[in-house]
Amino acid sequence: MATMRRSPVEKVLWTVLAVLVIFLFLSPFYIAVVNSFKTQLETAENALALPSSLSFANYQDAMKKINFSKSLLNTLIVTVAGDVLIVVCSSMSGHAIARNLNKHIYFKILDRVFLSSIMIPFQVIMIPVYKIFKSMGLINNLLGMIIMLTGISVAYATFLYVGFIKSVPVELEEAARIDGCNQFQAFWMIVFPLLKPITATVAALHAMWLWNDFNISLILLQKDEVRTLTIKQFYFFSEYASDYNMAFAAAIMGMIPVLIFFLLMQKYLVGGITAGAVKG
Protein backbone atom coordinates (compact mmCIF):
# COMPACT_ATOMS: atom_id res chain seq x y z
CA MET A 1 0.00 0.00 0.00
CA ALA A 2 1.47 3.33 -1.05
CA THR A 3 2.38 5.77 1.67
CA MET A 4 0.32 8.98 1.68
CA ARG A 5 2.51 11.98 0.93
CA ARG A 6 1.76 15.33 2.50
CA SER A 7 1.92 18.51 0.49
CA PRO A 8 4.41 21.26 1.52
CA VAL A 9 1.52 23.30 2.93
CA GLU A 10 0.39 20.40 5.12
CA LYS A 11 3.94 19.89 6.40
CA VAL A 12 4.20 23.57 7.34
CA LEU A 13 0.83 23.47 9.11
CA TRP A 14 1.76 20.34 11.06
CA THR A 15 5.10 21.88 12.02
CA VAL A 16 3.42 25.08 13.24
CA LEU A 17 0.89 23.03 15.20
CA ALA A 18 3.68 20.97 16.81
CA VAL A 19 5.56 24.13 17.81
CA LEU A 20 2.40 25.64 19.32
CA VAL A 21 1.75 22.47 21.33
CA ILE A 22 5.36 22.48 22.58
CA PHE A 23 5.04 26.11 23.69
CA LEU A 24 1.73 25.32 25.37
CA PHE A 25 3.21 22.48 27.43
CA LEU A 26 6.43 24.35 28.26
CA SER A 27 4.77 27.63 29.24
CA PRO A 28 4.05 26.63 32.89
CA PHE A 29 7.67 25.53 33.28
CA TYR A 30 8.87 28.82 31.78
CA ILE A 31 6.67 30.83 34.16
CA ALA A 32 7.94 28.86 37.16
CA VAL A 33 11.62 29.23 36.25
CA VAL A 34 11.43 32.91 35.32
CA ASN A 35 9.48 33.97 38.39
CA SER A 36 11.69 31.96 40.74
CA PHE A 37 14.44 34.52 40.02
CA LYS A 38 12.21 37.61 40.36
CA THR A 39 11.16 39.80 43.25
CA GLN A 40 7.47 40.07 44.10
CA LEU A 41 7.36 43.54 42.56
CA GLU A 42 8.75 42.29 39.24
CA THR A 43 6.23 39.44 39.17
CA ALA A 44 3.37 41.85 39.88
CA GLU A 45 4.48 44.13 37.03
CA ASN A 46 4.84 41.37 34.42
CA ALA A 47 4.83 37.66 35.24
CA LEU A 48 5.97 36.69 31.74
CA ALA A 49 8.95 39.03 31.42
CA LEU A 50 12.51 37.95 32.08
CA PRO A 51 14.03 38.96 35.46
CA SER A 52 16.08 42.15 35.57
CA SER A 53 18.93 40.28 37.29
CA LEU A 54 19.79 36.65 38.06
CA SER A 55 19.32 36.37 41.84
CA PHE A 56 19.20 33.15 43.85
CA ALA A 57 17.73 34.86 46.92
CA ASN A 58 14.36 33.11 46.48
CA TYR A 59 16.09 29.72 46.40
CA GLN A 60 18.11 30.46 49.53
CA ASP A 61 15.08 31.78 51.43
CA ALA A 62 12.90 28.86 50.30
CA MET A 63 15.49 26.31 51.45
CA LYS A 64 15.55 27.88 54.91
CA LYS A 65 11.78 28.22 55.20
CA ILE A 66 10.95 24.60 54.38
CA ASN A 67 14.13 23.01 55.80
CA PHE A 68 14.87 21.68 52.33
CA SER A 69 17.53 19.12 53.25
CA LYS A 70 15.27 17.39 55.80
CA SER A 71 12.25 17.48 53.49
CA LEU A 72 14.34 16.12 50.62
CA LEU A 73 15.58 13.27 52.83
CA ASN A 74 12.01 12.40 53.86
CA THR A 75 10.92 12.40 50.22
CA LEU A 76 13.86 10.22 49.17
CA ILE A 77 13.17 7.69 51.95
CA VAL A 78 9.47 7.43 51.05
CA THR A 79 10.12 7.23 47.30
CA VAL A 80 12.97 4.71 47.34
CA ALA A 81 11.49 2.42 49.99
CA GLY A 82 8.01 2.58 48.45
CA ASP A 83 9.32 1.94 44.95
CA VAL A 84 11.31 -1.12 46.04
CA LEU A 85 8.34 -2.58 47.94
CA ILE A 86 5.99 -1.95 45.00
CA VAL A 87 8.32 -3.80 42.61
CA VAL A 88 8.85 -6.73 44.99
CA CYS A 89 5.20 -7.17 45.98
CA SER A 90 3.64 -6.55 42.57
CA SER A 91 6.09 -8.76 40.68
CA MET A 92 5.35 -11.70 43.00
CA SER A 93 1.59 -11.15 42.97
CA GLY A 94 1.65 -10.67 39.19
CA HIS A 95 3.54 -13.93 38.80
CA ALA A 96 1.08 -15.81 41.02
CA ILE A 97 -1.93 -14.47 39.11
CA ALA A 98 -0.41 -14.99 35.65
CA ARG A 99 0.54 -18.61 36.34
CA ASN A 100 -2.69 -19.61 38.12
CA LEU A 101 -5.36 -17.44 36.49
CA ASN A 102 -6.85 -20.34 34.53
CA LYS A 103 -6.30 -22.96 37.22
CA HIS A 104 -7.96 -21.64 40.39
CA ILE A 105 -11.05 -19.47 40.88
CA TYR A 106 -9.30 -17.73 43.79
CA PHE A 107 -6.76 -16.09 41.46
CA LYS A 108 -9.48 -15.01 39.06
CA ILE A 109 -11.28 -13.30 41.92
CA LEU A 110 -8.01 -11.75 43.12
CA ASP A 111 -7.31 -10.43 39.63
CA ARG A 112 -10.78 -8.84 39.45
CA VAL A 113 -10.36 -7.33 42.92
CA PHE A 114 -7.04 -5.77 41.91
CA LEU A 115 -8.52 -4.35 38.70
CA SER A 116 -11.56 -3.00 40.57
CA SER A 117 -9.44 -1.32 43.24
CA ILE A 118 -7.63 0.72 40.59
CA MET A 119 -10.88 2.60 39.93
CA ILE A 120 -11.42 3.60 43.58
CA PRO A 121 -10.17 7.18 44.24
CA PHE A 122 -8.24 7.82 47.43
CA GLN A 123 -10.85 10.35 48.60
CA VAL A 124 -13.34 7.50 49.06
CA ILE A 125 -11.13 5.66 51.56
CA MET A 126 -9.45 8.73 53.06
CA ILE A 127 -11.33 8.83 56.38
CA PRO A 128 -11.16 5.06 57.10
CA VAL A 129 -7.44 5.09 56.26
CA TYR A 130 -6.82 7.94 58.70
CA LYS A 131 -8.73 6.21 61.50
CA ILE A 132 -7.00 2.86 60.95
CA PHE A 133 -3.53 4.35 60.72
CA LYS A 134 -4.14 6.52 63.78
CA SER A 135 -5.21 3.48 65.82
CA MET A 136 -2.01 1.70 64.72
CA GLY A 137 0.24 4.65 65.59
CA LEU A 138 1.26 5.21 61.96
CA ILE A 139 0.26 8.88 61.68
CA ASN A 140 3.24 11.26 61.40
CA ASN A 141 5.38 8.26 60.60
CA LEU A 142 7.32 7.64 57.39
CA LEU A 143 6.74 3.90 57.78
CA GLY A 144 2.98 4.46 57.67
CA MET A 145 3.39 6.64 54.59
CA ILE A 146 5.45 3.97 52.84
CA ILE A 147 2.93 1.23 53.73
CA MET A 148 0.00 3.30 52.44
CA LEU A 149 1.71 4.31 49.20
CA THR A 150 2.77 0.71 48.56
CA GLY A 151 -0.69 -0.66 49.27
CA ILE A 152 -2.47 1.79 47.00
CA SER A 153 0.03 1.22 44.15
CA VAL A 154 0.37 -2.57 44.10
CA ALA A 155 -2.86 -3.20 42.18
CA TYR A 156 -1.89 -1.18 39.11
CA ALA A 157 1.71 -2.43 39.16
CA THR A 158 0.45 -6.02 39.40
CA PHE A 159 -1.80 -5.42 36.40
CA LEU A 160 1.28 -4.34 34.40
CA TYR A 161 3.28 -7.38 35.52
CA VAL A 162 0.55 -9.94 34.78
CA GLY A 163 0.45 -9.20 31.07
CA PHE A 164 4.23 -9.30 30.76
CA ILE A 165 4.75 -12.49 32.79
CA LYS A 166 2.26 -14.37 30.60
CA SER A 167 4.78 -14.01 27.76
CA VAL A 168 7.57 -15.68 29.75
CA PRO A 169 7.62 -19.44 28.92
CA VAL A 170 6.55 -21.52 31.89
CA GLU A 171 8.98 -24.22 30.71
CA LEU A 172 11.86 -22.14 32.10
CA GLU A 173 10.43 -22.45 35.59
CA GLU A 174 9.71 -26.14 35.15
CA ALA A 175 13.31 -26.74 34.11
CA ALA A 176 14.52 -24.83 37.17
CA ARG A 177 12.25 -26.92 39.41
CA ILE A 178 13.71 -30.10 37.89
CA ASP A 179 17.19 -28.77 38.67
CA GLY A 180 16.26 -28.44 42.34
CA CYS A 181 14.92 -24.88 42.68
CA ASN A 182 11.80 -24.27 44.73
CA GLN A 183 9.07 -21.96 43.44
CA PHE A 184 10.53 -18.92 45.20
CA GLN A 185 14.02 -19.52 43.82
CA ALA A 186 12.69 -20.21 40.32
CA PHE A 187 10.92 -16.86 40.29
CA TRP A 188 13.77 -14.71 41.58
CA MET A 189 16.59 -16.51 39.77
CA ILE A 190 14.93 -17.33 36.44
CA VAL A 191 11.79 -15.25 35.87
CA PHE A 192 12.53 -11.92 37.55
CA PRO A 193 15.73 -11.20 35.57
CA LEU A 194 13.62 -11.52 32.40
CA LEU A 195 11.26 -8.81 33.66
CA LYS A 196 13.76 -5.95 33.44
CA PRO A 197 11.77 -3.91 30.86
CA ILE A 198 8.50 -3.96 32.79
CA THR A 199 10.31 -3.58 36.13
CA ALA A 200 12.01 -0.42 34.87
CA THR A 201 8.64 0.86 33.65
CA VAL A 202 6.92 0.17 36.98
CA ALA A 203 9.82 1.68 38.95
CA ALA A 204 9.96 4.85 36.84
CA LEU A 205 6.20 5.46 36.79
CA HIS A 206 5.75 4.93 40.51
CA ALA A 207 8.88 6.84 41.52
CA MET A 208 7.41 9.94 39.89
CA TRP A 209 4.02 9.32 41.51
CA LEU A 210 5.48 8.70 44.98
CA TRP A 211 7.72 11.75 44.74
CA ASN A 212 4.82 14.03 43.79
CA ASP A 213 2.15 12.55 46.08
CA PHE A 214 0.14 15.18 47.89
CA ASN A 215 -3.19 13.77 49.15
CA ILE A 216 -1.80 10.88 51.18
CA SER A 217 1.03 13.00 52.55
CA LEU A 218 -1.44 15.67 53.64
CA ILE A 219 -3.49 13.13 55.61
CA LEU A 220 -0.71 11.04 57.19
CA LEU A 221 2.16 13.50 57.66
CA GLN A 222 1.06 16.39 59.87
CA LYS A 223 4.26 17.15 61.76
CA ASP A 224 6.87 19.41 60.21
CA GLU A 225 9.81 17.05 60.75
CA VAL A 226 8.29 14.22 58.69
CA ARG A 227 6.71 16.19 55.88
CA THR A 228 7.80 15.75 52.27
CA LEU A 229 8.59 18.42 49.68
CA THR A 230 5.12 18.53 48.14
CA ILE A 231 3.46 19.35 51.46
CA LYS A 232 6.03 22.05 52.20
CA GLN A 233 4.65 24.01 49.24
CA PHE A 234 1.86 25.06 51.60
CA TYR A 235 4.36 27.07 53.65
CA PHE A 236 4.45 29.87 51.08
CA PHE A 237 0.72 30.54 51.17
CA SER A 238 -1.24 31.96 54.07
CA GLU A 239 -4.65 33.52 54.56
CA TYR A 240 -3.47 37.06 53.86
CA ALA A 241 -0.28 36.67 51.81
CA SER A 242 1.31 34.43 49.21
CA ASP A 243 4.94 34.32 48.15
CA TYR A 244 4.76 32.87 44.65
CA ASN A 245 8.41 33.56 43.93
CA MET A 246 9.70 31.38 46.76
CA ALA A 247 7.02 28.80 45.97
CA PHE A 248 8.26 28.60 42.38
CA ALA A 249 11.85 28.30 43.59
CA ALA A 250 10.93 25.45 45.96
CA ALA A 251 8.96 23.71 43.21
CA ILE A 252 11.93 23.89 40.83
CA MET A 253 14.29 22.46 43.47
CA GLY A 254 11.86 19.66 44.26
CA MET A 255 11.37 18.87 40.57
CA ILE A 256 15.05 18.56 39.62
CA PRO A 257 15.83 15.16 41.29
CA VAL A 258 12.81 13.35 39.83
CA LEU A 259 13.37 15.01 36.45
CA ILE A 260 16.94 13.69 36.37
CA PHE A 261 15.68 10.23 37.38
CA PHE A 262 13.07 10.28 34.61
CA LEU A 263 15.63 11.31 31.97
CA LEU A 264 17.92 8.47 33.07
CA MET A 265 15.06 5.95 32.99
CA GLN A 266 13.41 7.24 29.83
CA LYS A 267 14.83 4.63 27.45
CA TYR A 268 13.87 1.81 29.85
CA LEU A 269 10.41 3.32 30.28
CA VAL A 270 9.77 3.49 26.54
CA GLY A 271 11.32 0.03 26.05
CA GLY A 272 9.13 -1.49 28.74
CA ILE A 273 5.92 -0.01 27.35
CA THR A 274 6.82 -1.08 23.81
CA ALA A 275 7.81 -4.60 24.87
CA GLY A 276 4.64 -4.92 26.92
CA ALA A 277 2.51 -3.89 23.96
CA VAL A 278 4.22 -6.38 21.64
CA LYS A 279 4.20 -9.23 24.14
CA GLY A 280 0.60 -8.61 25.17
Side-chain angles (χ1 to χ4, degrees):
M1 190 172 180
T3 306
M4 229 174 126
R5 292 185 180 179
R6 291 193 180 101
S7 66
V9 176
E10 286 180 314
K11 290 181 180 179
V12 171
L13 290 175
W14 279 110
T15 303
V16 171
L17 180 61
V19 171
L20 289 175
V21 170
I22 291 172
F23 274 113
L24 179 65
F25 279 95
L26 289 181
S27 58
F29 182 72
Y30 167 80
I31 293 172
V33 173
V34 166
N35 286 282
S36 68
F37 293 103
K38 289 182 179 180
T39 63
Q40 291 187 9
L41 180 59
E42 287 179 309
T43 301
E45 289 176 348
N46 190 344
L48 298 177
L50 294 172
S52 57
S53 61
L54 198 63
S55 173
F56 290 90
N58 289 323
Y59 288 86
Q60 294 171 350
D61 295 339
M63 289 180 71
K64 292 178 183 177
K65 189 165 185 176
I66 66 174
N67 192 359
F68 181 78
S69 58
K70 179 63 176 175
S71 303
L72 178 63
L73 178 62
N74 292 338
T75 308
L76 282 171
I77 291 172
V78 168
T79 302
V80 174
D83 216 16
V84 170
L85 282 174
I86 289 168
V87 168
V88 171
C89 296
S90 59
S91 62
M92 290 193 294
S93 60
H95 177 261
I97 292 173
R99 291 294 186 244
N100 299 282
L101 190 60
N102 299 320
K103 298 179 181 178
H104 304 288
I105 187 66
Y106 166 78
F107 289 97
K108 287 186 178 180
I109 295 173
L110 183 62
D111 184 47
R112 299 298 183 273
V113 169
F114 274 13
L115 291 175
S116 301
S117 67
I118 296 174
M119 296 180 285
I120 301 175
F122 176 71
Q123 288 77 5
V124 173
I125 60 173
M126 185 168 58
I127 296 175
V129 163
Y130 178 79
K131 290 183 176 180
I132 292 171
F133 275 60
K134 186 177 182 180
S135 67
M136 298 174 66
L138 293 175
I139 299 293
N140 297 319
N141 190 317
L142 291 181
L143 176 61
M145 180 70 177
I146 292 168
I147 292 172
M148 185 60 208
L149 288 172
T150 302
I152 208 169
S153 304
V154 162
Y156 178 64
T158 299
F159 168 73
L160 295 178
Y161 269 110
V162 168
F164 199 93
I165 291 173
K166 285 180 180 178
S167 67
V168 178
V170 70
E171 289 79 11
L172 294 175
E173 295 175 67
E174 293 173 349
R177 298 292 294 274
I178 293 173
D179 290 338
C181 291
N182 56 38
Q183 188 172 359
F184 190 80
Q185 291 172 325
F187 172 71
W188 287 109
M189 297 172 65
I190 305 300
V191 178
F192 189 75
L194 300 175
L195 305 179
K196 286 181 181 179
I198 193 63
T199 297
T201 303
V202 169
L205 289 174
H206 285 84
M208 289 186 289
W209 181 75
L210 297 177
W211 187 276
N212 294 312
D213 172 74
F214 180 82
N215 290 329
I216 299 175
S217 302
L218 183 64
I219 297 299
L220 299 183
L221 304 178
Q222 300 175 359
K223 288 185 178 179
D224 182 73
E225 60 268 20
V226 295
R227 282 185 163 175
T228 55
L229 287 172
T230 51
I231 298 299
K232 291 295 183 75
Q233 291 293 317
F234 262 145
Y235 286 35
F236 305 105
F237 303 96
S238 62
E239 186 176 358
Y240 302 106
S242 299
D243 196 326
Y244 290 98
N245 303 90
M246 277 202 288
F248 281 133
I252 295 297
M253 289 188 292
M255 181 176 60
I256 289 173
V258 73
L259 182 61
I260 294 173
F261 175 79
F262 176 77
L263 292 175
L264 293 174
M265 296 292 290
Q266 186 178 13
K267 63 177 182 179
Y268 301 105
L269 181 62
V270 174
I273 294 173
T274 305
V278 174
K279 291 175 183 293

